[in-house]
Amino acid sequence: QVQLVESGGGLVQAGGSLRLSCAASRSLFRFNYMGWYRQAPGKQRELVARMTSGSTTNYADSVKDRFTISRDNAKNTVALQMNSLKPEDTAVYYCNAGRTSTRGGLLEYDYWGQGTQVTVSS
């Protein structure tokens, strides 16, 4: 079992910045995808940023050029740097990591953190 623990959430004014961190209990090398999702009350969980094996990154259109996902394999952490925050960024942010088969793309395992609250005031 792998545990993912998020930290860094909080309250910030519009235009400010926050850096979220996700600490994994095991090496990141076991994953071939890692990312951040968010969910606002009454809305579906949505992808914010994802990094796959080979360091390919994808971002939601709403956060492109403002958010940056990165990883530190030595420290077993995945970070999300959030700049120019907007009130619509308010949500619970979840860390996600897993692995799919390199042959057929079938899911092998998938893990989620408990979430951290980000609130952006206007």
Side-chain angles (χ1 to χ4, degrees):
Q1 183 68 247
V2 174
Q3 295 184 57
L4 303 176
V5 181
E6 301 98 332
S7 63
L11 175 64
V12 65
Q13 293 184 349
S17 299
L18 284 175
R19 184 178 179 86
L20 305 183
S21 181
C22 173
S25 60
R26 299 293 179 87
S27 173
L28 300 184
F29 290 115
R30 68 180 60 220
F31 308 121
N32 60 10
Y33 65 87
M34 298 171 289
W36 291 88
Y37 287 74
R38 67 186 181 188
Q39 186 170 23
K43 297 183 178 180
Q44 293 184 320
R45 188 173 298 185
E46 65 173 342
L47 173 68
V48 177
R50 187 202 305 269
M51 177 179 289
T52 61
S53 59
S55 298
T56 299
T57 57
N58 295 96
Y59 297 91
D61 289 339
S62 60
V63 307
K64 286 182 178 178
D65 301 320
R66 298 191 298 119
F67 291 10
T68 303
I69 187 171
S70 62
R71 66 185 178 191
D72 188 331
N73 293 329
K75 297 181 178 179
N76 295 343
T77 58
V78 179
L80 182 69
Q81 179 66 44
M82 305 184 293
N83 298 324
S84 301
L85 284 163
K86 304 175 181 179
E88 52 262 43
D89 294 320
T90 296
V92 177
Y93 285 70
Y94 297 89
C95 179
N96 173 236
R99 184 175 183 85
T100 55
S101 171
T102 57
R103 290 184 290 274
L106 300 178
L107 181 67
E108 295 181 356
Y109 45 81
D110 188 65
Y111 299 99
W112 293 86
Q114 80 286 353
T116 185
Q117 178 71 47
V118 172
T119 302
V120 184
S121 63
S122 61

